[in-house]
Amino acid sequence: MQAGSMISSRLLQALRGAKSVAVLTGAGISAESGIPTFRGNEGLWKKFKPEELASVDAFLRNPDLVWEWYAYRKHVVRESQPNAGHRALVDLEALIPDVTVITQNVDNLHQRAGSKNVVELHGNITRNFCNDCGARYDDEAIPETPGVPRCQKCGGLIRPAVVWFGELIPPDQWRLAETAARRANVFFSVGTSGIVYPAASLPLLAKDHGAYVVEINTEITPLSDIVDETIIGKAGDVLPEIVAQLRSPKEDFSQ
Ligand code: BJW
Ligand code: ZN
């Protein structure tokens, strides 16, 4: 296969004329940094489905178990580094006037890579707050206890500042995401299974407002039917290739 042939001339053309690009990312973009995805066999932690751990009900029923899951993931995230996929999205900022990264990930890797405009739909695992009084705690401020830590002000349970099932997306972040999807000329959906709402509605919103919508995933997903193009491949391969093609002044010879 010719190098770069996974990038269609249609996509390159759309990007060359684009003023605004929005990128919805999911766990797949961080898989190459060694952070497990949620779904699929390798994605499961101790055989629990995310729906069984990522809710207030689950937390109140078994706070120690849910905290243990997050403590493990906080550790994995701290040990990980942004990968070529994250870095390519930073590089895109030099090539397109307006780039918004809308992430479902809580791992902070887009921010650490240097993306300037990151919308956090599902919060951030590096922050925490008291479930009772709302007091905020950085990871460093949390007492190292076995099991769930307690609030120093009120004794309540401390939880990670992430968005669980049944909870609202932070309204300011959702507004930014919708606005970016509506104004995007090109919209990418990268490494997400596209089954968790309302995030999964953003590609369709972008399409309804005229964006050229491209999915990048190692597999077909429910979003594959509605997008203009699905590129099957790893985010860490495909995104840098797109940036390289975009930088190249040469004609492209694909398709
Ligand atoms: C690669 C790759 C590589 C691998 N390169 N690709 C409408 C219809 C039906 C249900 C609902 C609806 N609206 C709301 C709901 C309920 C619910 C929901 O969507 N449920 C579904 C399961 C059906 N949604 C909510 O509750 C949301 N809130 C809400 O709607 O509020 C309004 C409301 C209030 C009150 C009552 C009712 C409604 C909130 C959703 C919060 C989701 N939270 C989590 C946990 C966050 C914290 C944490 O990290 O622990 O977010 S769940 C989990 O799933 C996490 C993720 O962000 C999210 C999405 O997962 P993602 O990123 O897509 O990962 P995977 O693992 O699923 O997929 C990885 C993909 O990568 C795969 O496709 C691979 O092939 C691919 N891949 N390697 C490229 N190298
Ligand atoms: Zn408290």
Side-chain angles (χ1 to χ4, degrees):
M1 199 161 100
Q2 185 194 322
S5 59
M6 62 182 155
I7 317 301
S8 72
S9 51
R10 177 92 200 272
L11 170 55
L12 266 186
Q13 223 167 30
L15 280 173
R16 291 218 157 99
K19 288 196 177 68
S20 179
V21 169
V23 188
L24 173 69
T25 65
I29 196 170
S30 293
E32 291 161 79
S33 293
I35 299 176
T37 59
F38 290 92
R39 295 168 185 87
N41 285 333
E42 285 145 43
L44 297 182
W45 178 78
K46 297 192 178 175
K47 301 211 163 66
F48 290 103
K49 296 195 176 117
E51 289 78 2
E52 296 167 340
L53 295 167
S55 73
V56 180
D57 285 354
F59 181 63
L60 294 180
R61 221 179 302 126
N62 199 341
D64 289 341
L65 174 78
V66 173
W67 183 262
E68 193 197 337
W69 184 43
Y70 282 97
Y72 162 73
R73 291 174 53 209
K74 281 169 185 281
H75 171 76
V76 171
V77 161
R78 264 196 302 270
E79 297 292 304
S80 69
Q81 298 298 330
N83 65 55
H86 300 105
R87 287 194 296 273
L89 294 181
V90 181
D91 294 342
L92 205 57
E93 291 177 0
L95 301 165
I96 310 276
D98 170 40
V99 176
T100 306
V101 175
I102 306 163
T103 191
Q104 298 170 82
N105 300 342
V106 298
D107 58 29
N108 213 31
L109 288 184
H110 288 299
Q111 295 86 336
R112 280 173 60 196
S115 279
K116 290 203 185 68
N117 202 4
V118 182
V119 177
E120 293 178 341
L121 290 183
H122 294 163
N124 194 309
I125 200 173
T126 67
R127 301 191 297 260
N128 312 274
F129 63 89
C130 169
N131 194 51
D132 287 353
C133 77
R136 293 169 191 220
Y137 290 88
D138 287 339
D139 277 345
E140 303 75 50
I142 290 180
E144 284 262 348
T145 48
V148 67
R150 296 277 178 169
C151 177
Q152 282 150 13
K153 298 197 175 87
C154 81
L157 301 171
I158 295 178
R159 55 164 285 181
V162 299
V163 178
W164 282 330
F165 286 112
E167 295 184 319
L168 280 184
I169 308 299
D172 59 325
Q173 300 298 293
W174 183 247
R175 223 166 13 247
L176 289 168
E178 279 191 324
T179 308
R182 282 200 203 95
R183 71 167 183 261
N185 305 111
V186 177
F187 185 99
F188 288 101
S189 173
V190 182
T192 177
S193 55
I195 61 171
V196 174
Y197 283 81
S201 68
L202 291 168
L204 193 59
L205 179 68
K207 196 172 162 60
D208 285 346
H209 286 77
Y212 188 67
V213 181
V214 179
E215 174 179 48
I216 300 170
N217 199 302
T218 47
E219 291 171 17
I220 295 291
T221 75
L223 292 175
S224 306
D225 286 338
I226 69 117
V227 301
D228 293 296
E229 194 178 316
T230 294
I231 304 174
I232 297 289
K234 292 184 173 179
D237 294 335
V238 178
L239 288 170
E241 184 59 37
I242 290 173
V243 168
Q245 296 263 329
L246 205 50
R247 276 184 181 144
S248 147
K250 294 191 294 280
E251 285 295 306
D252 74 282
F253 299 105
S254 60
Q255 285 147 69

